[in-house]
Amino acid sequence: MANSRGGRVYVTEGGEKIYGIMAEFATPADLYHAAEKVRDAGYKEWDTYTPFPIHGMEDAMGVQRTKLPVAVFAAAMTGAGLAMLMQWWMSSVDYKLVTQGKPYFSWQAFVPITFELGVLFSAFTALLGMIALNKLPMWYHPLTKKERFLASSDDKFFVAIEAKDSKFDPERTRELLQKAGATSIELVEE
Amino acid sequence: MTSLHPDQATAQRLAGLSRPAAPPPVHDPKSGDGTLVDEPGVRPPLVLGGRTFGEVTDIICGYSENPPPRWWTPAFIAAFSLAQLGGIMILYLVITGIGTWGLTNQVDWAWDITNFVFWIGIGHAGTLISAILCLLKQKWRTAVNRSAEAMTIFAVICAATFPGIHIGRQWMAWFLPPIPNANGIWPNFRSPLLWDVFAVSTYGTVSFLFWYMGMIPDFATLRDRADRRLRSNPGSGAVLLPFVPVRTDKIRAFVYGFLSLGWRMSSRHWHRYEAAYLVLAGVSTPLVLSVHSIVSFDFATSIVPGWHTTIFPPYFVAGAIFGGFAMVLMLLIPFRELYPNMKELVTLRHIENMAKIILVTGMMVGFAYSMEFFIAWYGGNKFELFAFQNRAFGPYWWAYFTMISCNVISPQVFWNKKMRTNPLVVWIVALLVTIGMWFERFVIIVTSLHRSFLPGEYHMFHPTLVDICIFAGSFGVFLTLYLLFMRFLPSFPIAELKAVLPAASPHNHADGHGHGHGHAKGGH
C-alpha cells in the first residue's frame, strides 16, 4: 500500500482512510510550546488552529514568511502602469481632446487616477491572493467532522498532524502530542 | 459605573452568558471604568469584566444570534420608512427633472453636492480607525473598527447616490466611467470630476474588501456555533417562522459558512491573513488621504472665488476625519447603552480617545477657516475678499455662524477631562459637530456661488421639499443598513478582540485560563 508520496496509508479498523491526529490544548502558551516541539521533531505536514492569530506562532511552527507583499507590489505597479497607459491612449491617441490648451499627454493630470487604480489593484491582490494562497474557498475539511474541533473558532487551541507526513506514526505522533501537554487526542478520518 | 447592563435579566437572556461580569477590580475612581489612565507605563485593560475567550464569543455572537432588543424593530421600521421616502422622492426627481430641486442658473450646486461631500467625509473615520490606527499599533481601535468600517461603506453608498442623481439625465450615468460607446468618445481625464469617479469608487471597493476580509474569521465563528447547536440538538430548535419548518441555525450555518469561505482558523492561514491585513492597511492609508483631497479638487481647480484655494486638500481631509469621528460617537454612545455588555467592549477610554481626535481635527478646521480669511485679505484679490466677507456677513451669515460655533467653539469643551469622558456631553458635541460639518459644506458651496462677479448674477438658494426629503432619506438608508449590520453581522471583530486579551499572549503563564487577571498589566 503506497500513496503517491511514497509513504504509507493508514486506515481505521472500519476501513476508513486516516487524515491525521488532532490534539487539543487549553491555552495559547501550551499550544505555542507544543508547536515548538512538533517543529523540532521534524514534521512538515501539520498545522495549528487557534481562535485568533497568536503572536509569534509562525516562528514556533517554522513557517516561512509569506510572499504575498511581493505579489501586491507587482499588482500595484501593474494597476498604476495600466492606468497611465489607458489615459495616454484614450486622450492622446484614440480621442484627441484639447483641454485648456494642454498637451495631449499631460501626465501630471493623470496622476490621481494612476494612483487610485494602483491602490485598487493592490487591494484586490491582497485579499484574493490571501484567499488563493490559503487554498480557499474550501467548504469541506476532515477536521470539521469532529465536533470538538469546532471550538477552535471559540476558545480552544488545536494541533493536527497529517498522516501524509513522512514522519507520521500513529503511536509515536500520539506520544509526542501527549508529552506536549494535550488535554485530548483524537484520530481523524478523511 | 458598572460594566453590566442595568437590566440584568435582559442582559443574560441576550448574551446567553452563564455568569455576570467579574466584580470590577479595585481601581482609582478617577479612572472612570478603570480605563482612563494617564500614566504612560500603565496599560489599561482593553476589554472589561475579566472576560474569557469564550465569553467574548458569547457576547458578540449574542448580538446577532439572539432576538434583538425590543426597540430594534420599531427603529428599523422608522429608518426603513425614511429610506423609502427618499427613494420615492428620487423616483419623482428622475421622472420630472432637476427643476424639482431648488437649483438655479447661478446656484447650480447646492444640497446635492453638500450632501455628497458630507457623507463621503463621514466615511473617512472608518478607514482612519481600521488603517491608520492599525499601522500606529493603537490596540484600542479593535473594539470600534468593525462598526466604523461598516459606517464607512454605508456612508459611501449614501454619498455616491447624490452625484448619480445630480447629473440630470440619470440614465446616462454610465458615461461617467470610461466605457466604450457608440459615439467613439472618452471622458476628459484632466477633469477633477472624473478623478472623483475613480477615487470614490476605489474607496468604496477597497473599504468593502477590507471590511469583508476582517469578517471572514468571525463568519467562521458564527458558522461553527450554529453547526454545534445543530449537532448537539439535531431534532428541535428555533425555526425561521412558525409555518416554515426551516431551522434558523441551518440557514446560519449555510450563509455564514458560505461567506467564511471555509475558514478553519489555521495558523498558516492566519499568517497570510495578517500579512494581507497589514498590506491593506498600508494601501488604505494614502487612499483615505487621497479621496477627500480629490473631492476638494472639484472645487479648488475652478476659478470661483472662495473655492480657488490651495489649502483645500488638507482642510477637507481634516474636516472629513472630524465629521467622521463625530458620527462614530453619535452611533456608538447610544448603542453601548442599549446593547447588553457593550460597555465592556467600548470603554470610556475609547470615547475619550475619539473626543481627543475631534478636538485636534476641530482645531485644524478652525485654523483653515481663519487662514482662508487671511489669504483672502493678503492675496489682494478683491473678488476673493468679497466672497469671504459675503460668507461671514452676507445673507448667509447664519449658516457661517452655525458652522463656526458647532465646529470650532463646541469641541473646546474637550480640553476638560470631565467633559470628554462624559458620554452624554460627548454625544451632544458629536451631534453639534455633525450639524456643523453639514453647514461647512453648505457654506463653501452655496455662499461661493450665490453672488458671482456681477451683481446681476446675485441669487439666493431655497431648498424645496424634494431636496429636504432626499437628504432625510439618505439618513434613512444609512440607519437601515446600520441596524441590519448590528442585527445580522459580527458587529465587533471577535478574533481581533480575543487577541488583545491578556490571556492571548503565548508567554502568559499566570494562572493560565484568562480569569480576572491582567488589569493594568503590560504585554510581554
Side-chain angles (χ1 to χ4, degrees):
Chain A
M1 266 220 270
N3 67 13
S4 57
R5 286 170 183 269
R8 290 144 298 176
V9 171
Y10 294 96
V11 289
T12 61
E13 285 167 7
E16 276 182 285
K17 235 170 98 182
I18 288 174
Y19 167 77
I21 287 182
M22 168 185 105
E24 183 184 316
F25 293 84
T27 68
D30 291 351
L31 181 79
Y32 187 87
H33 298 305
E36 288 175 327
K37 288 191 182 107
V38 177
R39 174 197 66 192
D40 294 341
Y43 287 94
K44 295 279 174 257
E45 303 288 336
W46 66 291
D47 208 341
T48 60
Y49 300 87
T50 60
F52 51 87
I54 291 177
H55 189 70
M57 200 59 184
E58 53 272 26
D59 295 330
M61 286 175 65
V63 176
Q64 283 197 332
R65 242 185 117 81
T66 173
K67 296 275 189 296
L68 188 63
V70 181
V72 174
F73 180 74
M77 292 300 115
T78 311
L82 283 177
M84 195 49 103
L85 205 62
M86 170 185 82
Q87 295 176 86
W88 162 77
W89 182 74
M90 287 178 184
S91 29
S92 57
V93 177
D94 195 47
Y95 181 62
K96 289 182 176 165
L97 186 66
V98 182
T99 317
Q100 299 162 332
K102 302 258 170 28
Y104 290 125
F105 181 58
S106 43
W107 63 270
Q108 296 89 339
F110 300 161
V111 168
I113 291 178
T114 304
F115 170 78
E116 297 298 333
L117 284 185
V119 168
L120 188 68
F121 274 54
S122 4
F124 270 107
T125 311
L127 176 66
L128 298 180
M130 184 273 287
I131 289 170
L133 289 174
N134 287 344
K135 298 191 175 65
L136 295 175
M138 183 195 270
W139 283 290
Y140 169 77
H141 194 270
L143 286 168
T144 55
K145 282 200 294 193
K146 297 286 173 194
E147 194 174 343
R148 183 188 290 278
F149 179 76
L150 299 184
S152 64
S153 64
D154 185 7
D155 59 351
K156 295 293 191 293
F157 305 84
F158 292 87
V159 172
I161 302 178
E162 292 181 39
K164 69 181 178 203
D165 192 292
S166 55
K167 285 195 105 90
F168 183 84
D169 177 277
E171 300 308 315
R172 264 180 294 167
T173 304
R174 177 182 285 269
E175 205 179 282
L176 172 78
L177 291 168
Q178 218 143 33
K179 274 194 193 148
T183 54
S184 93
I185 296 180
E186 275 185 61
L187 208 60
V188 183
E189 301 86 22
E190 284 276 350
Chain B
M1 188 174 290
T2 61
S3 45
L4 195 73
H5 191 256
D7 187 351
Q8 198 148 344
T10 321
Q12 298 287 342
R13 177 179 66 82
L14 278 167
L17 293 175
S18 49
R19 71 173 184 96
V26 184
H27 57 251
D28 187 356
K30 265 193 274 176
S31 67
D33 54 3
T35 54
L36 304 175
V37 188
D38 285 335
E39 272 175 74
V42 179
R43 293 192 191 179
L46 291 159
V47 176
L48 296 175
R51 293 298 186 186
T52 61
F53 298 132
E55 285 169 341
V56 169
T57 319
D58 285 340
I59 290 173
I60 298 166
C61 293
Y63 297 147
S64 48
E65 284 173 353
N66 296 304
R70 237 171 265 123
W71 54 267
W72 190 89
T73 313
F76 178 77
I77 292 171
F80 191 65
S81 313
L82 201 57
Q84 293 308 307
L85 175 71
I88 290 165
M89 283 301 169
I90 289 175
L91 187 66
Y92 174 66
L93 172 88
V94 172
I95 292 169
T96 318
I98 286 296
T100 56
W101 280 343
L103 301 180
T104 61
N105 276 345
Q106 191 58 40
V107 188
D108 50 5
W109 279 8
W111 274 42
D112 45 359
I113 302 301
T114 301
N115 298 340
F116 162 68
V117 183
F118 170 76
W119 279 117
I120 198 87
I122 281 174
H124 282 54
T127 322
L128 187 93
I129 290 174
S130 57
I132 299 182
L133 296 187
C134 170
L135 294 183
L136 297 175
K137 297 219 184 288
Q138 294 294 307
K139 285 187 176 174
W140 61 273
R141 67 178 264 288
T142 48
V144 289
N145 85 15
R146 179 69 45 76
S147 43
E149 282 172 25
M151 202 192 71
T152 294
I153 290 153
F154 306 151
V156 172
I157 291 172
C158 292
T161 315
F162 285 99
I165 57 177
H166 152 89
I167 55 173
R169 281 180 279 174
Q170 292 83 359
W171 50 96
M172 305 293 272
W174 66 278
F175 263 58
L176 288 169
I179 295 174
N181 54 61
N183 301 332
I185 60 171
W186 296 110
N188 175 13
F189 287 100
R190 294 177 196 87
S191 162
L193 296 178
L194 185 63
W195 304 346
D196 223 10
V197 172
F198 278 86
V200 172
S201 52
T202 300
Y203 185 50
T205 313
V206 173
S207 303
F208 180 79
L209 295 181
F210 209 171
W211 187 54
Y212 174 66
M213 195 178 88
M215 284 195 293
I216 290 174
D218 299 342
F219 284 137
T221 300
L222 285 163
R223 169 202 67 196
D224 287 351
R225 282 167 66 89
D227 202 358
R228 278 159 92 184
R229 282 192 298 268
L230 286 171
R231 287 190 207 193
S232 62
N233 189 7
S236 59
V239 292
L240 188 59
L241 290 166
F243 45 87
V244 183
V246 184
R247 284 188 60 184
T248 325
D249 278 334
K250 272 223 161 114
I251 300 170
R252 283 201 189 106
F254 181 80
V255 175
Y256 292 137
F258 181 80
L259 292 171
S260 73
L261 306 174
W263 186 264
R264 51 178 191 277
M265 304 284 158
S266 148
S267 290
R268 289 174 200 272
H269 291 184
W270 278 125
H271 171 62
R272 298 189 189 99
Y273 177 89
E274 287 197 296
Y277 200 96
L278 206 59
V279 165
L280 271 181
V283 298
S284 301
T285 299
L287 175 67
V288 66
L289 301 180
S290 82
V291 172
H292 226 59
S293 298
I294 291 177
V295 169
S296 79
F297 292 163
D298 293 347
F299 305 99
T301 57
S302 75
I303 54 159
V304 176
W307 287 1
H308 188 67
T309 58
T310 47
I311 202 174
F312 261 28
Y315 159 32
F316 268 50
V317 171
I321 293 164
F322 180 57
F325 270 94
M327 184 58 97
V328 173
L329 284 167
M330 245 172 59
L331 288 174
L332 277 180
I333 289 174
F335 277 119
R336 78 192 269 282
E337 298 290 335
L338 291 167
Y339 272 99
N341 305 92
M342 209 181 266
K343 278 184 189 161
E344 292 170 16
L345 306 173
V346 182
T347 64
L348 284 181
R349 182 170 167 230
H350 291 97
I351 292 176
E352 190 195 11
N353 283 353
M354 289 194 270
K356 282 178 182 168
I357 293 175
I358 286 198
L359 179 59
V360 170
T361 47
M363 303 281 282
M364 286 182 192
V365 295
F367 173 76
Y369 298 155
S370 50
M371 191 47 72
E372 276 187 322
F373 261 89
F374 172 73
I375 293 296
W377 167 76
Y378 188 69
N381 181 328
K382 63 181 178 182
F383 293 106
E384 183 85 0
L385 187 61
F386 171 78
F388 281 92
Q389 282 169 343
N390 180 52
R391 202 175 262 191
F393 308 111
Y396 283 112
W397 65 270
W398 48 272
Y400 191 80
F401 175 79
T402 311
M403 169 185 104
I404 293 286
S405 41
C406 289
N407 290 355
V408 185
I409 298 169
S410 80
Q412 302 305 323
V413 301
F414 289 159
W415 288 104
N416 183 320
K417 182 164 178 158
K418 277 217 177 75
M419 293 291 145
R420 65 173 184 260
T421 54
N422 180 334
L424 182 65
V425 173
V426 176
W427 191 83
I428 291 169
V429 172
L431 177 68
L432 289 175
V433 167
T434 307
I435 295 169
M437 283 312 288
W438 188 86
F439 271 99
E440 180 198 294
R441 279 67 177 248
F442 180 79
V443 164
I444 292 172
I445 293 168
V446 173
T447 67
S448 304
L449 287 176
H450 88 119
R451 288 191 169 176
S452 196
F453 299 94
L454 296 172
E457 295 171 327
Y458 286 12
H459 280 276
M460 291 294 283
F461 171 76
H462 301 286
T464 62
L465 197 63
V466 181
D467 272 311
I468 296 166
C469 289
I470 292 179
F471 179 50
S474 69
F475 270 96
V477 171
F478 182 75
L479 288 175
T480 303
L481 292 170
Y482 199 83
L483 285 168
L484 285 173
F485 159 73
M486 289 300 293
R487 176 73 187 87
F488 293 109
L489 296 179
S491 50
F492 286 82
I494 306 174
E496 268 188 81
L497 269 174
K498 287 178 195 164
V500 298
L501 291 180
S505 165
H507 310 294
N508 183 348
H509 292 278
D511 70 339
H513 298 280
H515 274 282
H517 68 280
H519 286 283
K521 178 178 183 304
H524 53 274

